[in-house]
Amino acid sequence: MDTKELLKKVRKIEIKTRRLSDHVFGGEYHSTFKGRGMTFSEVRQYQFGDDVRSIDWNVTARYNEPYIKVFEEERELTMMLMVDVSGSELFGTDTQFKNEILTEIAATLAFSAMQNNDKIGLILFSDGIELFIPPKKGKSHVLRIIRELIEFKPKSKKTDIAQALKYLSNVMKKKAIVFVLSDFIAEDYNDTLRIVAKKHDVTGIRVYDRREEEMPNLGMVQMQDEETGELLLVNTGSRKVRVNYNKYYQGRVTQFNDSFLKSGAGVLSCRVDESYVKKLLGYFKRRG
């Protein structure tokens, strides 16, 4: 992708997702994810109705009239976006691929955090860490994240969510808001997730295509595993083959929901042809 085409794509996503974050998600994000606590702001004269427990007795004694300490919420937070860039994200049968929806959701979340003057970081992962961008503030930083989401070419097509979560634990020592964006067609991340969710505010966002939910009856079909590259001749006309596929897929969905909910983390599932705007807004409102 040449520079001109890349900038055009970045601008297109910026316009769409910035508008959403400005008009739809800004307030919801603020009320959903609280600051780390209250920090001292100023001392002012006591007014009728103020809490007497807030009186600053040293200043009151000095000026011979009551003064109170004023505190405000310490808003600065850090958001980490963990985005799956494995081969299975390059799948889509409707208007967009899964990785395109992941990019739009990540961009919307990043602009929402930027509105609140929060830091935003990025981890792109496959079965290893493909890219780490440390958390920073500002529009230029968010645009860099979007550029990487659009044009990054991963070294591997496989997935290892547990490895990505372990990396997060190592690089993020303070509590962060963490969004893990993936199709979650993966195994064995339960234990690591439970450890990470004790320290961080974690939400899993599962993006999927409706054609993945069950295998259609199309007779003998050659299929390619997007993560291994292996070509397989599959008899989709066999009821047993279709039932086994459905069991496997539903097992991954159940694992996703159970793992996150039992860890105290949030869950959100969005189909490629659905409005992620409504899904995100509903999630923020339920949490707020």
Side-chain angles (χ1 to χ4, degrees):
M1 189 185 301
D2 62 36
T3 306
K4 191 176 178 182
E5 188 184 352
L6 174 62
L7 291 173
K8 192 177 174 182
K9 281 196 171 189
V10 170
R11 182 64 180 152
K12 187 179 176 182
I13 288 178
E14 181 195 357
I15 290 168
K16 181 177 181 179
T17 58
R18 182 101 187 247
R19 189 170 61 243
L20 288 171
S21 64
D22 286 351
H23 300 298
V24 182
F25 298 116
E28 296 297 338
Y29 171 88
H30 180 96
S31 60
T32 301
F33 301 104
K34 310 296 182 187
R36 284 194 290 268
M38 304 302 286
T39 184
F40 175 73
S41 174
E42 61 176 341
V43 173
R44 65 164 172 79
Q45 282 184 298
Y46 178 86
Q47 296 171 4
F48 180 76
D50 286 337
D51 190 339
V52 293
R53 290 174 296 183
S54 299
I55 291 176
D56 186 322
W57 294 107
N58 289 331
V59 178
T60 296
R62 194 180 311 148
Y63 289 100
N64 245 345
E65 57 181 314
Y67 278 76
I68 65 163
K69 291 179 181 176
V70 178
F71 293 86
E72 62 183 20
E73 184 184 6
E74 190 182 353
R75 266 299 310 164
E76 185 179 292
L77 299 167
T78 298
M79 175 193 284
M80 284 302 302
L81 297 167
M82 299 181 63
V83 184
D84 183 352
V85 291
S86 63
S88 63
E89 304 309 329
L90 297 170
F91 180 83
T93 55
D94 289 289
T95 54
Q96 288 180 292
F97 289 133
K98 287 187 285 185
N99 68 327
E100 292 173 320
I101 298 296
L102 289 176
T103 296
E104 287 191 19
I105 293 173
T108 303
L109 291 169
F111 278 121
S112 296
M114 187 190 84
Q115 262 193 314
N116 283 282
N117 202 34
D118 294 341
K119 294 178 181 177
I120 305 108
L122 177 70
I123 294 173
L124 300 182
F125 68 93
S126 53
D127 60 345
I129 303 305
E130 297 278 353
L131 177 71
F132 170 57
I133 298 179
K136 277 178 66 178
K137 296 180 183 182
K139 181 182 172 182
S140 61
H141 181 67
V142 171
L143 292 177
R144 182 198 168 190
I145 285 173
I146 294 171
R147 282 199 303 273
E148 294 292 358
L149 286 164
I150 291 171
E151 71 165 352
F152 189 83
K153 297 290 185 289
K155 298 184 182 71
S156 174
K157 291 185 175 183
K158 297 178 182 179
T159 313
D160 190 335
I161 294 171
Q163 189 69 26
L165 290 168
K166 284 176 186 172
Y167 182 83
L168 173 80
S169 284
N170 289 333
V171 294
M172 295 302 297
K173 300 304 179 187
K174 292 182 179 178
K175 183 177 180 178
I177 298 165
V178 179
F179 288 95
V180 188
L181 295 90
S182 172
D183 56 13
F184 291 92
I185 306 297
E187 300 177 15
D188 301 328
Y189 55 83
N190 311 45
D191 293 340
T192 315
L193 174 62
R194 193 162 55 247
I195 294 166
V196 170
K198 283 181 181 176
K199 181 177 179 182
H200 302 289
D201 186 338
V202 182
T203 299
I205 300 180
R206 183 176 75 94
V207 173
Y208 66 102
D209 190 282
R210 61 191 176 90
R211 297 290 170 85
E212 293 176 305
E213 295 182 277
E214 57 181 55
M215 185 179 286
N217 183 351
L218 300 172
M220 289 296 267
V221 178
Q222 189 178 56
M223 296 183 178
Q224 184 176 30
D225 187 317
E226 288 292 346
E227 298 206 354
T228 65
E230 185 182 2
L231 288 170
L232 301 167
L233 198 61
V234 180
N235 181 13
T236 63
S238 164
R239 185 175 180 278
K240 185 180 178 182
V241 169
R242 295 198 305 274
V243 167
N244 284 341
Y245 170 80
N246 190 53
K247 279 183 181 175
Y248 172 78
Y249 181 81
Q250 291 304 323
R252 301 286 72 76
V253 175
T254 300
Q255 182 190 8
F256 163 71
N257 287 315
D258 288 353
S259 298
F260 275 79
L261 291 174
K262 286 178 181 176
S263 300
V267 292
L268 178 63
S269 290
C270 185
R271 211 167 64 191
V272 167
D273 59 329
E274 292 179 323
S275 167
Y276 66 82
V277 177
K278 289 181 181 176
K279 293 284 181 121
L280 275 176
L281 196 55
Y283 176 71
F284 284 175
K285 282 179 184 284
R286 286 195 303 275
R287 283 205 44 172

